[in-house]
Amino acid sequence: MRRQWITKKGGRCLTLFFCGWGMDERAVQHLTGTGDVLAFYDYRDIAGEEAPVTDGYDEIRAVAWSMGVWAAAVLLERWKLPVTRRVAINGTERPVDERYGILPKLYLLTERGMDERGRDKFFARMLAGREEMARFGANKPLRELHEQVEELRAIREQAMLIRPETRWDKAYVSTGDVIFPPESQRNWWDGRCETVSIEGGHYPFYVLDNWDEI
């Protein structure tokens, strides 16, 4: 796993952001809000990952998107940080699952077809409309295809073995998400935490574009 500071100005509030598959910190570099922001991505291997140093912060928030919801659940339980608020977006703790995640058959098809063309098609399907597609150039990850393919496979294999359950305060579900089925998300979050429906596709950060509001 990799980590990258997006904002580090010595604020009293820290947001830990867990990216979705294939992404890097560019996915949320445009978001505004108060405090420092540390992004995590590349979940090819999350075993033995050390907790970030959080001394000096009065408030620690965790925000996780897509496959990052699973990764955050694993790591936050392991790290035991004093996180005050946890928010999930377009994902669950069972990312590859018949009822609570992406159907295993469809996931495998995506994994096996992940070439340059398949990656571009995936990114296009994440977005809602031409305007978002035009804007996404500034948020598109700068990562090599081969490691993204490895990550896709590794998430599936790890998620089948490591099945966390942790506390969440809120879950956002995009009504137009065609990557991670909204029904699967609602199946998982029902009775677990507050669920909020928002407009748009799987990539939500032109709708949710402020850390404090999230």
Side-chain angles (χ1 to χ4, degrees):
M1 191 172 77
R2 294 184 242 181
R3 59 186 72 186
Q4 178 66 47
W5 287 98
I6 297 177
T7 306
K8 190 177 184 183
K9 298 180 179 179
R12 308 304 295 176
C13 176
L14 171 63
T15 299
L16 305 175
F17 175 69
F18 295 82
C19 287
W21 165 80
M23 297 292 154
D24 57 23
E25 75 280 359
R26 286 166 56 86
V28 290
Q29 65 182 358
H30 63 290
L31 270 66
T32 58
T34 58
D36 295 344
V37 180
L38 177 60
F40 300 91
Y41 63 95
D42 188 356
Y43 307 127
R44 283 180 288 179
D45 185 4
I46 63 174
E49 192 70 29
E50 294 185 358
V53 176
T54 60
D55 297 346
Y57 290 104
D58 295 330
E59 181 182 6
I60 302 173
R61 309 180 294 199
V63 179
W65 167 48
S66 190
M67 296 299 171
V69 176
W70 166 81
V74 173
L75 293 170
L76 292 177
E77 283 299 295
R78 185 184 300 163
W79 291 343
K80 303 300 182 184
L81 297 173
V83 177
T84 53
R85 189 157 179 80
R86 308 179 186 207
V87 177
I89 307 171
N90 291 340
T92 73
E93 295 172 335
R94 301 290 182 270
V96 187
D97 190 89
E98 293 281 350
R99 178 170 170 75
Y100 300 120
I102 299 171
L103 292 174
K105 181 179 179 179
L106 294 180
Y107 192 99
L108 280 170
L109 287 173
T110 301
E111 182 181 321
R112 292 167 181 167
M114 191 51 66
D115 52 17
E116 292 282 357
R117 182 179 178 183
R119 180 174 62 178
D120 289 342
K121 183 178 179 180
F122 181 90
F123 289 156
R125 294 181 71 234
M126 287 196 318
L127 303 166
R130 292 179 180 271
E131 182 180 345
E132 288 196 1
M133 291 179 67
R135 292 183 64 182
F136 189 67
N139 301 111
K140 192 174 181 179
L142 300 178
R143 292 181 57 188
E144 297 293 334
L145 176 64
H146 72 87
E147 68 179 37
Q148 292 171 315
V149 174
E150 291 172 1
E151 183 186 6
L152 198 59
R153 180 177 64 254
I155 289 173
R156 173 177 54 80
E157 293 173 347
Q158 292 177 93
M160 293 297 184
L161 297 174
I162 309 172
R163 299 170 66 81
E165 287 194 33
T166 192
R167 174 187 62 81
W168 295 90
D169 297 290
K170 180 186 290 187
Y172 288 98
V173 178
S174 291
T175 57
D177 192 336
V178 297
I179 301 296
F180 207 115
E183 183 179 0
S184 295
Q185 296 180 53
R186 295 189 189 97
N187 286 343
W188 178 258
W189 297 119
D190 183 35
R192 296 176 185 270
C193 70
E194 176 189 4
T195 304
V196 178
S197 294
I198 58 173
E199 298 294 324
H202 184 66
Y203 179 85
F205 299 111
Y206 301 133
V207 176
L208 302 175
D209 59 2
N210 181 282
W211 294 114
D212 301 324
E213 292 177 4
I214 291 172

